[in-house]
Amino acid sequence: MMTTFEIGRKAETVAAAFLQRKGCEILAQNWRTRHCEIDIIARKDAILYFCEVKYRSRPDQGYGMDYVTQAKLRQMTFAADCWIAAHHYEGDYQLAAIEVSGAAFTVTNAITDLS
């Protein structure tokens, strides 16, 4: 049986592979500071995507996207701003969320431009 940590990492790995198939370059996974974290940072063309990955093993847990609340969007924006400042990035970016579901760890939904 996988630990919660291992489940999260597997969901993030599946989401990163999904982004790569969509033509994205993965710049970082699990980027974190004392104050924030970003699951995946990806780039496609001239846009960075700061991605939150939400995993749900069973349908009775609801949809992963249900957990991308206004509070989560504020946290994501703060984390993106921290990364941008740390890397002196001046280009375009978007917030994104990827839902991974079930025992097979399948990407079931992906949303970009949440800001």
Side-chain angles (χ1 to χ4, degrees):
M1 179 147 177
M2 287 195 283
T3 66
T4 301
F5 176 80
E6 291 168 331
I7 290 167
R9 290 298 165 121
K10 176 151 177 131
E12 290 165 3
T13 298
V14 167
F18 170 81
L19 290 168
Q20 287 174 316
R21 286 191 303 276
K22 296 291 184 184
C24 291
E25 173 189 5
I26 304 302
L27 302 180
Q29 280 186 249
N30 296 298
W31 182 85
R32 61 184 65 238
T33 71
R34 261 179 34 160
H35 306 288
C36 60
E37 61 94 18
I38 301 169
D39 292 334
I40 300 172
I41 304 167
R43 177 176 47 218
K44 183 174 181 180
D45 302 322
I47 299 174
L48 284 187
Y49 294 90
F50 294 95
C51 303
E52 177 72 12
V53 178
K54 292 295 185 185
Y55 173 75
R56 295 295 172 266
S57 62
R58 300 182 323 269
D60 65 328
Q61 294 176 314
Y63 297 102
M65 292 302 175
D66 294 342
Y67 296 88
V68 182
T69 62
Q70 288 301 316
K72 175 49 82 176
L73 290 172
R74 284 191 298 275
Q75 291 173 348
M76 290 173 69
T77 299
F78 177 77
D81 290 343
C82 288
W83 189 93
I84 287 165
H87 292 84
H88 309 289
Y89 181 74
E90 295 181 0
D92 292 330
Y93 75 91
Q94 293 182 10
L95 301 180
I98 299 172
E99 179 182 271
V100 179
S101 302
F105 287 83
T106 304
V107 172
T108 50
N109 200 352
I111 299 174
T112 60
D113 199 15
L114 299 171
S115 55

